[in-house]
């Protein structure tokens, strides 16, 4: 039996899946999983979708139930915050809960919502969404109905806006950008999602970011750059996230847009690994550092880090992947595009059933299938081939997609 102690700091999806992988791979030493929340590790996508709307149960988000951690002899410590780590000494400081020694440490500390530093930001009724507690507070406001101003049109903002409309609330979506997610996907896809929200009755304030929150004690208005005033009953802000790198920085780990790691997810300290939102790892396919803040990355990267902790050598080279559901529009995205890439459409764009491909120098860099299913495997294969494609053939729905790989 191994006398080693593996500690996973971050009782997240990535952390829980890493602990599971360690046991499945036969590691019989001590496994400690530490989380700041009092909740069992859970998956976050439902927080902006079905759980937010009251359509799914709290327990359904859990990665595992309590019995799993007990059966697998995983020392799960919830409501516990690490205050410092010392890689050289193999030590974690846990505040009033003392210290913990480790042989190998995995950081899955995730990210935190980027909070707007605007006048009135301290008013009641301004919500950010990251945790179950955050979601429960927004759900309670949904129950009261009324008018919500959603500030920010990334995926969290867009999904919250969609969920609010589906619950019957009046919604104003306020974006500093000209279109939803335009900085990521470019104008054509941004226009598509703008129209999706407009058809559902969302009021869109575009290219006119929030500059202040106003109200007496509680927020009642959002003021924009142009001087426009949006009356509201409460606000949800989706202004992106910041990776939780502070512990790593204080421990001397190399950081940039996350904690830097090699292709095996090993940091600048050889006994410290990283996975999930906080990881900024060298991707062997793209030959550059990649930082991904989505569910699939946590799902896949946690177990990959666990295998590296056990000495496996293969690099982590999964292509970025995420999904979103808004109203009756479901999509999957794979790859790594740039807004300057050329976008071509395969299928019925106006009818909302199509695949968008991003092309650079004739190569497919990314693909997004919207209400078209069972094609993601072929999209990823096209990206990995790194071979020029004929646009006419790529966009011809009579040509089977798999035949192009």
């Amino acid at each position: 039996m191994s006398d080693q102690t593996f500690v996973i700091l971050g009782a997240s999806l990535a952390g829980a899946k890493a602990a599971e992988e360690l046991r499945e791979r036969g590691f019989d030493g001590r496994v400690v999983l530490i989380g700041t929340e009092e909740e069992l590790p859970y998956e976050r996508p439902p927080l902006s979708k079905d759980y937010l709307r009251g359509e799914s149960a709290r327990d359904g988000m859990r990665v595992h139930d309590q019995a799993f951690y007990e059966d697998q002899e995983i020392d799960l410590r919830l409501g516990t915050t690490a205050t410092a780590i010392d890689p050289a000494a193999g030590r974690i400081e846990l505040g009033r809960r003392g210290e913990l020694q480790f042989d190998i440490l995995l950081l899955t500390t995730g990210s935190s919502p980027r909070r707007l530093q605007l006048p009135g930001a301290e008013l009641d009724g301004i919500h950010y969404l990251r945790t179950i507690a955050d979601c429960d507070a927004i759900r309670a406001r949904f129950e009261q109905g009324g008018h919500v101003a959603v500030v920010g049109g990334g995926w969290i903002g867009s999904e919250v806006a969609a969920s609010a409309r589906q619950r019957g609330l009046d919604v104003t979506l306020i974006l500093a950008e000209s279109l939803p997610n335009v900085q990521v996907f470019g104008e054509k896809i941004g226009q598509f999602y703008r129209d999706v929200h407009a058809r559902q009755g969302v009021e869109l304030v575009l290219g006119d970011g929030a500059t202040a929150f106003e109200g007496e004690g509680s927020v009642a208005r959002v003021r924009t750059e142009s001087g426009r005033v949006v009356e509201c009953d409460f606000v949800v802000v989706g202004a992106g996230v910041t990776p939780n790198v502070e512990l790593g920085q204080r421990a001397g780990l190399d950081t940039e847009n996350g904690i830097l790691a090699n292709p095996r997810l090993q940091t600048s300290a050889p006994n410290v690994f990283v996975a999930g939102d906080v990881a900024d790892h060298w991707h062997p396919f793209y030959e550059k550092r990649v930082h991904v803040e989505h569910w699939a990355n946590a799902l896949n990267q946690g177990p990959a880090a666990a295998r590296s902790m056990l000495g496996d050598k293969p690099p982590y080279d999964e292509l970025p992947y995420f999904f979103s559901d808004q109203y009756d529009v479901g999509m999957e995205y794979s790859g790594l595009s740039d807004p300057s890439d050329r976008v071509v459409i395969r299928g019925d764009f106006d009818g909302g059933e199509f695949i968008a491909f991003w092309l650079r120098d004739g190569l497919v860099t990314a693909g997004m299938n919207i209400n078209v299913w069972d094609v993601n495997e072929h999209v990823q294969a096209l990206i990995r081939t790194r071979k020029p494609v004929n646009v006419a053939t790529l966009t011809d729905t009579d040509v089977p997609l798999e035949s192009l790989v």
Side-chain angles (χ1 to χ4, degrees), residues 5-19 22 30-37 41 44 74-87 90-95 97-102 104-111 130 244-251 253 259 267 271-279 302 305 309:
T5 296
F6 284 8
V7 175
I8 302 169
L9 193 53
S12 56
L13 172 61
K17 296 302 288 186
L22 288 173
R30 187 182 183 197
V31 176
V32 184
L33 178 58
I34 300 171
T36 56
E37 292 183 63
R44 298 187 190 275
I74 295 168
D75 182 359
L76 180 60
R77 303 189 185 186
L78 301 177
T80 302
T81 300
T83 57
I85 57 176
D86 185 340
R91 184 177 65 248
I92 302 175
E93 295 179 12
L94 301 173
R97 303 199 180 194
E99 296 181 350
L100 179 64
Q101 295 295 132
F102 66 85
I104 296 181
L105 172 66
L106 172 61
L107 296 175
T108 58
T109 50
S111 55
R130 181 63 183 175
N244 296 326
V245 301
E246 295 81 8
L247 278 173
Q249 284 180 330
R250 293 200 299 268
L253 302 181
I259 297 175
T267 71
N271 61 339
V272 180
F273 294 76
V274 68
D277 282 11
V278 76
M309 293 163 72

Side-chain angles (χ1 to χ4, degrees), residues 230-306:
V230 177
E231 303 284 343
C232 61
D233 297 298
F234 65 103
V235 169
V236 179
V237 178
V241 295
T242 302
N244 296 326
V245 301
E246 295 81 8
L247 278 173
Q249 284 180 330
R250 293 200 299 268
L253 302 181
D254 294 338
T255 64
E256 197 170 303
N257 187 26
I259 297 175
L260 302 186
N262 66 20
R264 296 182 57 244
L265 304 173
Q266 186 178 37
T267 71
S268 53
N271 61 339
V272 180
F273 294 76
V274 68
D277 282 11
V278 76
D280 187 5
H281 91 290
W282 185 266
H283 200 294
F285 180 78
Y286 293 108
E287 298 183 329
K288 66 177 182 179
R289 296 198 178 279
V290 173
H291 175 236
V292 181
E293 299 164 347
H294 295 290
W295 167 85
N297 189 60
L299 179 72
N300 296 318
Q301 208 171 58

Side-chain angles (χ1 to χ4, degrees), residues 351-384:
E353 294 184 4
F354 63 91
I355 307 173
F357 289 101
W358 282 259
L359 302 175
R360 188 183 314 148
D361 300 325
L363 307 181
V364 175
T365 59
M368 176 188 289
N369 47 295
I370 292 182
N371 285 348
V372 176
W373 307 112
D374 302 321
V375 296
N376 185 257
E377 178 184 351
H378 306 313
V379 171
Q380 294 211 11
L382 275 171
I383 296 168
R384 286 193 179 277

Side-chain angles (χ1 to χ4, degrees), residues 65-214:
D65 61 18
Q66 180 69 45
F68 170 85
Y69 301 100
E70 295 171 358
D71 293 344
Q72 295 297 315
E73 297 184 351
I74 295 168
D75 182 359
L76 180 60
R77 303 189 185 186
L78 301 177
T80 302
T81 300
T83 57
I85 57 176
D86 185 340
R91 184 177 65 248
I92 302 175
E93 295 179 12
L94 301 173
R96 291 178 297 175
R97 303 199 180 194
E99 296 181 350
L100 179 64
Q101 295 295 132
F102 66 85
D103 293 286
I104 296 181
L105 172 66
L106 172 61
L107 296 175
T108 58
T109 50
S111 55
S112 298
R114 187 173 293 116
R115 296 184 177 270
L116 298 182
Q117 302 302 313
L118 299 178
E122 76 287 351
L123 291 169
D124 290 339
I126 300 173
H127 298 267
Y128 293 80
L129 178 59
R130 181 63 183 175
T131 66
I132 287 181
D134 295 335
C135 185
D136 286 343
I138 299 171
R139 276 180 64 166
R141 295 306 304 253
F142 276 17
E143 293 291 338
Q144 300 173 36
H147 187 168
V148 57
V150 179
V151 178
W155 293 118
I156 291 297
S158 295
E159 290 175 356
V160 169
S163 289
R165 281 300 296 146
Q166 288 173 276
R167 287 299 310 274
L169 281 77
D170 294 325
V171 179
T172 300
L173 185 57
I174 302 171
L175 282 69
E177 299 79 20
S178 59
L179 294 164
N181 275 308
V182 67
Q183 72 277 20
V184 179
F185 301 119
E187 290 193 3
K188 193 168 187 67
I189 300 303
Q191 290 167 355
F192 173 80
Y193 274 102
R194 174 200 61 194
D195 295 345
V196 165
H197 286 289
R199 285 194 298 270
Q200 296 291 337
V202 172
E203 178 186 23
L204 292 117
V205 178
L206 304 176
D208 193 14
T211 57
F213 302 112
E214 300 176 349

